[in-house]
Amino acid sequence: MKTIKEHIKTNNYKQVYLLYGTEAYLKRFYAKKLKDGVLADGDEMNASAFAGKNIDWVEVQTLSDTLPFFADRRVILLENTGAFKAACDFADYIAHIPDSTVLIFIEEEVDKRNRLYKAVKEHGHVCELNGMSEKDLKLWTAQLLQKEGKKIKETDLEFFLERVGSDMNHIMTEVEKLVCYTYGRDVVERQDILAVTSEQITGKIFQMIDALAVQNQAQALALYYDLLTLREKPMTILYLIVRQFNLMLQAKALSAPESGLDKGAIASKMGVAPFVAGKCLSQCRHFSKKQLMDAIMYGTELEQQIKTGKLVDQLAVELLLVWLNDNKNA
């Protein structure tokens, strides 16, 4: 991100950029920043966009080779092409993009062994955007509220983020709801957050694991029943619990002293937002490696029993939560 900011500041751009990762807000934000920086005075005549996996690459190349209309540069935005996970001859063209064209790719996933990925990395700039660190996410959210004349305690801000998750587009939506709900007041309080925000299922899963970490079986089950009341499917809940233990196992391994990785690098390796990685790092300290592996194995076994009709899905999740609680100190 710092490199992109520097390119915009100096008006010195690469011919091709790849923005990929899990954070949709940041990808679109920096794609727009690049486009606005390259094209002076909001020039839309020299801006083109292609999306999807059925792009005509010959058309893209022809447009790229065409001189911009009464301007120095043109921008071509290519979104979710899937070309970074499949064979694509467009990789051969990357080294020959004219100085008058800037290509911006926005992708969800990439394969770093892919020819197109390697070509962009060699001749352009690659930026992985998996979200902000917990510190920066808190600061960004507080600034959103501050722009609307609102203040919030740090503990309530942390509660808000744990409740709504780390997706920045979703955070913006929930902040807008809070601003409207607290019209006429300066301070956003916890009861306001509880009153109007939509809790993400991942937030409940985090709370479940926190409860199990201190062997609070009653709270873990209460959170589960809350999710059922909200019409969440037991199989989805089971999958997310097992996924969380899998993430904690990864976090435990990657945070070992010999790995030498910081939180940002760990998040990148795990393929999750830094905020989520931070939560996993915090939670995994309460479980041994064996406990984490056993939880994954038992959860997988229960899933198989559901699929073969040996167990009802709702009961299976209850069994898992009770088993996790009882085996906490095993």
Side-chain angles (χ1 to χ4, degrees):
M1 289 187 286
K2 289 180 180 178
T3 302
I4 291 176
K5 289 176 183 177
E6 185 64 24
H7 290 180
I8 295 170
K9 182 180 178 180
T10 60
N11 197 36
N12 184 18
Y13 297 95
K14 296 285 188 179
Q15 259 45 71
V16 58
Y17 291 84
L18 167 60
L19 311 178
Y20 77 96
T22 58
E23 185 47 72
Y25 173 87
L26 286 178
K27 288 187 290 185
R28 290 189 177 279
F29 177 83
Y30 280 103
K32 186 176 186 305
K33 282 283 186 184
L34 282 167
K35 174 189 165 188
D36 291 347
V38 173
L39 300 177
D41 302 321
D43 175 17
E44 291 296 329
M45 292 188 67
N46 292 298
S48 303
F50 296 84
K53 296 182 179 180
N54 296 318
I55 287 176
D56 185 337
W57 293 105
V58 174
E59 182 183 354
V60 173
Q61 182 173 334
T62 300
L63 182 61
S64 175
D65 288 336
T66 304
L67 287 172
F69 187 72
F70 290 111
D72 294 328
R73 289 176 293 215
R74 70 164 61 250
V75 170
I76 302 176
L77 183 67
L78 302 116
E79 188 168 1
N80 294 329
T81 66
F84 290 86
K85 294 196 73 179
C88 181
D89 292 337
F90 195 71
D92 298 327
Y93 175 71
I94 296 299
H96 308 289
I97 301 171
D99 293 341
S100 59
T101 295
V102 174
L103 299 181
I104 304 172
F105 286 94
I106 300 177
E107 301 286 337
E108 290 183 4
E109 295 180 282
V110 301
D111 182 344
K112 294 182 180 179
R113 300 166 298 179
N114 178 276
R115 285 181 62 235
L116 182 56
Y117 177 88
K118 291 178 179 178
V120 173
K121 187 175 182 181
E122 180 181 355
H123 299 286
H125 180 67
V126 175
C127 186
E128 183 177 7
L129 298 166
N130 285 325
M132 295 181 175
S133 67
E134 184 175 354
K135 178 182 176 182
D136 288 341
L137 194 62
K138 285 162 62 176
L139 178 61
W140 178 75
T141 306
Q143 288 174 342
L144 288 178
L145 288 165
Q146 189 176 29
K147 287 177 182 177
E148 301 295 336
K150 304 293 181 182
K151 298 176 183 177
I152 187 171
K153 293 179 183 177
E154 185 170 0
T155 52
D156 290 338
L157 179 58
E158 290 172 352
F159 175 75
F160 170 76
L161 290 173
E162 187 166 303
R163 181 175 171 82
V164 306
S166 59
D167 182 272
M168 295 172 74
N169 282 321
H170 183 66
I171 289 172
M172 289 182 70
T173 300
E174 297 303 309
V175 165
E176 288 175 11
K177 287 160 64 174
L178 277 175
V179 169
C180 294
Y181 185 75
T182 57
Y183 178 79
R185 289 191 281 124
D186 296 336
V187 180
V188 173
E189 299 179 343
R190 184 166 297 208
Q191 55 262 36
D192 302 321
I193 297 169
L194 287 167
V196 297
T197 59
S198 302
E199 184 170 23
Q200 297 293 285
I201 185 172
T202 49
K204 288 280 191 187
I205 300 299
F206 284 152
Q207 292 174 47
M208 275 187 200
I209 305 302
D210 286 340
L212 293 168
V214 294
Q215 290 187 287
N216 191 339
Q217 177 180 303
Q219 185 182 0
L221 286 169
L223 289 163
Y224 172 50
Y225 298 140
D226 284 347
L227 286 172
L228 292 180
T229 302
L230 295 170
R231 298 184 180 278
E232 294 292 350
K233 295 179 181 178
M235 279 294 283
T236 301
I237 298 168
L238 176 61
Y239 164 77
L240 289 172
I241 292 173
V242 174
R243 177 180 181 271
Q244 185 61 20
F245 273 90
N246 194 5
L247 289 173
M248 286 193 288
L249 182 61
Q250 293 179 50
K252 199 170 194 69
L254 292 169
S255 62
E258 59 270 21
S259 72
L261 299 174
D262 60 19
K263 189 188 292 186
I266 290 173
S268 179
K269 290 273 188 183
M270 292 172 63
V272 298
F275 182 81
V276 175
K279 191 67 180 175
C280 292
L281 287 167
S282 173
Q283 289 181 331
C284 75
R285 298 188 185 103
H286 297 282
F287 299 88
S288 68
K289 181 180 178 181
K290 183 179 184 304
Q291 287 172 332
L292 294 171
M293 292 178 69
D294 287 347
I296 296 167
M297 294 274 293
Y298 186 54
T300 305
E301 180 185 325
L302 288 172
E303 182 182 351
Q304 185 62 29
Q305 290 187 42
I306 294 169
K307 290 179 177 178
T308 54
K310 294 179 181 178
L311 264 181
V312 178
D313 54 4
Q314 182 172 334
L315 176 60
V317 179
E318 291 175 357
L319 288 173
L320 176 61
L321 293 175
V322 172
W323 183 89
L324 288 170
N325 184 79
D326 293 345
N327 285 268
K328 175 63 180 63
N329 289 324

